[in-house]
Amino acid sequence: MKTLVATKPREAAFLNVDAPELGEEEVKIKVEFSAPKHGTEVVDFRGITPFMDEEFSEEWRSFIPREDTSEKGIVFGEFKLGNMIVGEIVETGHKVTDVSVGDRVCTYGPISEYVIVNASNNHRLLKMPEHGKWQNAVCYDPAQFALGAVRDAHIRPGDCVAISGLGAIGQIAIQLVKKMGASLVIGVDPIEHRREIAREGGADVCLDPTSCDAGFEVKKLTDKQGVDAWVETSGISSALQDALKGTGYAGTISYIAFAKPFPEGLNFGREAHFNNANLVFSRVASEPNRDYPRWDRKRIERTCWQLLMNGHLDCEKIIDPVVSFEDSAEAYMKYVDQSPNLSIKLGVQHG
């Protein structure tokens, strides 16, 4: 079977591998749709993985480079690319009872013709409802981080909210806060197409931070008070500076980005101190959750799946562009790595 892998830093290609023998608790899925992760995965793809720690789950660890004698700890040629898949179960191990051949499911997995996963107590092997959109399903992972960031920001009905970085996480956060009853939702991103999609998703105003002082404009839009909460997903130092300027007194900045080291120039002086913002680092995968024991990662996952499958969230336009499986190697290099401004979240259609 063909699987998309990184053959060396910033180069993707198909690898033909023999499908392993199916275990007694495993299922084999013929992939119909898939999507990569545009954040941490592309850092690994570029060969600049910052660390390899023990926090990663087994599901995620199998899709990131394994440790090796190489300098970066990345085995190119074995590093599978991709994050989420939707497909049909075509074979099951004899101990599998919760799913059957013919079931359409969503789970974590690489961009591949077939994916084999363990079905035993696997709460991330999710049955697709009859009318569930595959575009929503492959946004299951970013939806979790968006929901976690919104919850960590303690956003309430009537609040004014800004969201910087309108990739998949930011787009989903826009939809969440608007439907929660936020009175003003401001999207901030330099890419016009992303701003257009954010407006369709519920943003009242969108700002291009490269053509204006976004923090100052946010203050003007809120009668000089600033927003109650700011969700920062981009990891750009200037975006955090905008948030420090545009957040109202004692408001909350929910910082979800996995940022690289900031250059000189980030100023925690006048604006940070006078606005007295609460800076919260949000990571839904970290346990215990801030609202533990009522909320944990599994509850976040269940809630996101419900919101995605019942249509409360609509990710159809977030998945853009959609390419064929045969073209996914070139598309990955173009849309995920070389020109991420051309895509929000790449979709792959198989067959």
Side-chain angles (χ1 to χ4, degrees):
M1 65 181 183
K2 290 197 298 184
T3 299
L4 191 65
V5 302
T7 55
K8 61 182 181 180
R10 310 189 81 162
E11 184 169 305
F14 288 115
L15 179 69
N16 284 303
V17 296
D18 294 329
E21 184 177 347
L22 198 66
E24 59 186 13
E25 296 182 333
E26 293 181 324
V27 297
K28 183 178 182 180
I29 304 166
K30 180 175 175 57
V31 180
E32 299 172 354
F33 303 98
S34 57
K37 191 180 182 82
H38 285 234
T40 49
E41 181 182 312
V42 73
V43 175
D44 295 330
F45 179 66
R46 292 169 177 166
I48 52 175
T49 306
F51 62 88
M52 293 282 290
D53 66 18
E54 297 302 321
E55 292 185 29
F56 291 105
S57 66
E58 287 303 316
E59 292 91 340
W60 177 235
R61 183 173 289 279
S62 65
F63 304 125
I64 62 175
R66 66 175 175 81
E67 292 186 90
D68 180 72
T69 56
S70 62
E71 180 181 355
K72 295 292 184 180
I74 297 175
V75 179
F76 288 94
E78 296 182 13
F79 173 18
K80 299 176 183 178
L81 300 172
N83 176 235
M84 301 297 309
I85 65 104
V86 171
E88 180 181 343
I89 294 176
V90 294
E91 189 178 351
T92 64
H94 72 273
K95 286 190 176 181
V96 174
T97 58
D98 292 338
V99 291
S100 305
V101 170
D103 285 346
R104 291 187 75 239
V105 294
C106 170
T107 193
Y108 285 82
I111 300 169
S112 179
E113 289 182 300
Y114 294 91
V115 168
I116 293 175
V117 298
N118 193 307
S120 175
N121 297 317
N122 188 347
H123 65 279
R124 292 177 175 172
L125 181 62
L126 302 157
K127 290 184 182 180
M128 290 286 294
E130 184 178 354
H131 300 294
K133 292 183 178 181
W134 72 266
Q135 296 95 332
N136 283 16
V138 297
C139 284
Y140 176 58
D141 187 77
Q144 295 169 41
F145 288 87
L147 179 59
V150 168
R151 288 186 53 81
D152 286 341
H154 294 288
I155 296 166
R156 292 163 290 188
D159 280 352
C160 298
V161 182
I163 295 167
S164 50
L166 300 177
I169 294 172
Q171 297 285 350
I172 294 169
I174 290 276
Q175 293 188 32
L176 285 170
V177 299
K178 189 62 177 179
K179 292 185 176 183
M180 287 168 59
S183 62
L184 177 65
V185 180
I186 304 167
V188 183
D189 197 285
I191 301 171
E192 173 58 28
H193 175 61
R194 294 185 177 190
R195 298 197 300 271
E196 290 176 0
I197 300 302
R199 291 187 195 100
E200 293 183 32
D204 300 293
V205 180
C206 283
L207 302 173
D208 177 357
T210 64
S211 63
C212 72
D213 183 334
F216 181 63
E217 293 299 318
V218 167
K219 275 288 180 70
K220 290 199 297 185
L221 288 165
T222 55
D223 296 326
K224 300 182 181 180
Q225 283 208 334
V227 291
D228 300 286
W230 191 305
V231 177
E232 208 307 271
T233 78
S234 73
I236 305 301
S237 60
S238 59
L240 179 53
Q241 198 71 61
D242 288 336
L244 292 169
K245 180 183 289 188
T247 301
Y249 185 82
T252 300
I253 300 170
S254 183
Y255 195 84
I256 189 174
F258 202 141
K260 296 180 284 294
F262 286 150
E264 291 183 7
L266 186 64
N267 185 353
F268 285 109
R270 183 179 180 88
E271 290 165 349
H273 277 268
F274 275 72
N275 287 342
N276 197 19
N278 298 296
L279 180 57
V280 177
F281 291 92
S282 177
R283 183 174 182 267
V284 73
S286 295
E287 297 282 22
N289 190 278
R290 293 181 188 275
D291 291 322
Y292 181 85
R294 293 177 294 107
W295 283 83
D296 58 11
R297 178 70 184 273
K298 288 183 179 180
R299 184 173 177 184
I300 291 280
E301 291 174 338
R302 290 195 305 270
T303 302
C304 284
W305 186 249
Q306 181 182 20
L307 296 176
L308 289 163
M309 292 299 104
N310 67 15
H312 185 84
L313 295 171
D314 185 358
C315 301
E316 190 167 356
K317 291 188 178 180
I318 295 175
I319 305 300
D320 173 60
V322 178
V323 303
S324 69
F325 177 63
E326 290 73 21
D327 294 333
S328 60
E330 291 184 4
Y332 190 101
M333 291 185 286
K334 177 179 179 179
Y335 294 109
V336 180
D337 178 37
Q338 298 165 4
S339 302
N341 58 301
L342 300 178
S343 172
I344 298 177
K345 187 173 181 65
L346 178 67
V348 179
Q349 183 168 1
H350 300 239

